[in-house]
Amino acid sequence: MITIGQLAGYVGVSIKTIRVYHDKGLLPEPDRDASGYRRYGADDVVDLIKIRTLAQAGVPLARIRDLKSATDEEFRQALRGIDEELTARIRDLRATQGRLRRLAAGELAAVPAEVATHLERLADWGFTPRWVDLQRDLWILVFATHPDQAGALFRDQSESLADPALRQLFLDYDRAHDLDARDPRIDELAHRIVEATRERYGSGPDELPELDTASEIPALIQATVNASSPAWRRLDALIRARPET
């Protein structure tokens, strides 16, 4: 039987941490002995090691407490899930580390070279500086947060703009920025965009190339676009309201 100080020293945590685990219901607090000391046994050492290991893996204390009542199989399944989460976090951290090292070496551009070339071409096609800046910010966000999907999304837009008819839709969208939100041309443009989208991708939403559903980037981008122009905000609402999209 050991004291709380000895337990803390064996496991490598502070006495304060052990008391927090007592308060959170993670580690039972033993009764005091005749000398007034709380004494801990081997089971307490094992339990504390489990708690510390899970906590260091980023598992919330509430979840650790729930796992205490899990069956052996449930506990093993939970550990496998935690392992997968850690693997994903490690992969993301390594990717971030790589970007930091390339930044330190002066090798990291805001966007890939093909995107930079594309942005220059937008001005040649007649897009406003406002639209070019918006597109630049969009691709910086997408390539920074979703590098695995960004390339395919960029190629899809690049192919769309290579089609003169679709490029004209983008140009009209750009120029609609300064229209009155009640201008009937906005309704007509929304209809044309919906029809062009249906013709290119089909009517099913699964056909549209997009970021994963958990991503907040598309909503952030669209909110930024809508906030800059009442006409663009109404255009977005009209497009979303049409069932064929």
Side-chain angles (χ1 to χ4, degrees):
M1 304 296 287
I2 58 177
T3 65
I4 189 171
Q6 291 171 319
L7 174 63
Y10 290 153
V11 178
V13 299
S14 66
I15 293 175
K16 181 179 179 180
T17 296
I18 293 176
R19 287 175 174 152
V20 168
Y21 293 160
H22 286 328
D23 292 340
K24 298 293 184 181
L26 296 172
L27 186 69
E29 189 171 9
D31 295 330
R32 297 183 184 275
D33 62 14
S35 301
Y37 292 99
R38 299 190 187 280
R39 300 288 180 172
Y40 297 82
D43 288 345
D44 297 311
V45 176
V46 172
D47 285 345
L48 184 56
I49 290 173
K50 289 180 180 178
I51 295 168
R52 184 201 61 182
T53 302
L54 291 170
Q56 288 179 333
V59 181
L61 296 184
R63 187 178 179 190
I64 297 175
R65 184 174 60 245
D66 293 340
L67 288 175
K68 287 180 61 66
S69 60
T71 64
D72 289 343
E73 179 57 28
E74 289 172 341
F75 188 73
R76 283 192 291 271
Q77 288 180 355
L79 290 182
R80 285 193 289 269
I82 294 167
D83 182 78
E84 291 173 358
E85 292 171 5
L86 276 175
T87 300
R89 285 165 54 193
I90 291 170
R91 183 174 60 248
D92 291 343
L93 285 171
R94 284 176 174 166
T96 300
Q97 183 184 53
R99 290 195 293 272
L100 285 172
R101 288 175 176 175
R102 292 196 299 276
L103 179 62
E107 300 173 357
L108 188 64
V111 292
E114 61 179 338
V115 179
T117 300
H118 171 77
L119 294 173
E120 293 175 0
R121 192 176 299 127
L122 291 179
D124 295 337
W125 279 332
F127 286 94
T128 64
R130 174 191 59 239
W131 182 269
V132 176
D133 289 345
L134 180 66
Q135 292 297 306
R136 184 197 62 237
D137 293 347
L138 180 156
W139 291 117
I140 288 174
L141 271 174
V142 174
F143 274 93
T145 58
H146 295 77
D148 296 337
Q149 299 171 267
L153 289 168
F154 171 73
R155 286 189 294 274
D156 179 76
Q157 186 185 98
S158 182
E159 291 170 3
S160 296
L161 287 170
D163 182 326
L166 293 178
R167 184 164 67 243
Q168 188 59 52
L169 278 179
F170 283 95
L171 283 165
D172 291 344
Y173 196 121
D174 178 13
R175 294 162 184 166
H177 178 277
D178 297 324
L179 293 178
D180 186 281
R182 296 165 294 181
D183 194 306
R185 285 175 289 181
I186 294 176
D187 297 75
E188 187 267 340
L189 177 56
H191 176 74
R192 288 166 53 209
I193 291 173
V194 168
E195 290 300 313
T197 302
R198 183 172 60 180
E199 182 176 347
R200 180 170 170 80
Y201 302 109
S203 58
D206 293 337
E207 301 299 323
L208 283 166
E210 56 186 6
L211 297 177
D212 58 80
T213 55
S215 174
E216 297 179 355
I217 297 302
L220 174 62
I221 292 169
Q222 193 60 56
T224 302
V225 170
N226 291 349
S228 68
S229 164
W232 278 358
R233 184 161 58 250
R234 182 162 182 269
L235 183 57
D236 178 53
L238 289 171
I239 292 171
R240 291 175 182 275
R242 292 181 182 269
E244 56 264 46
T245 58

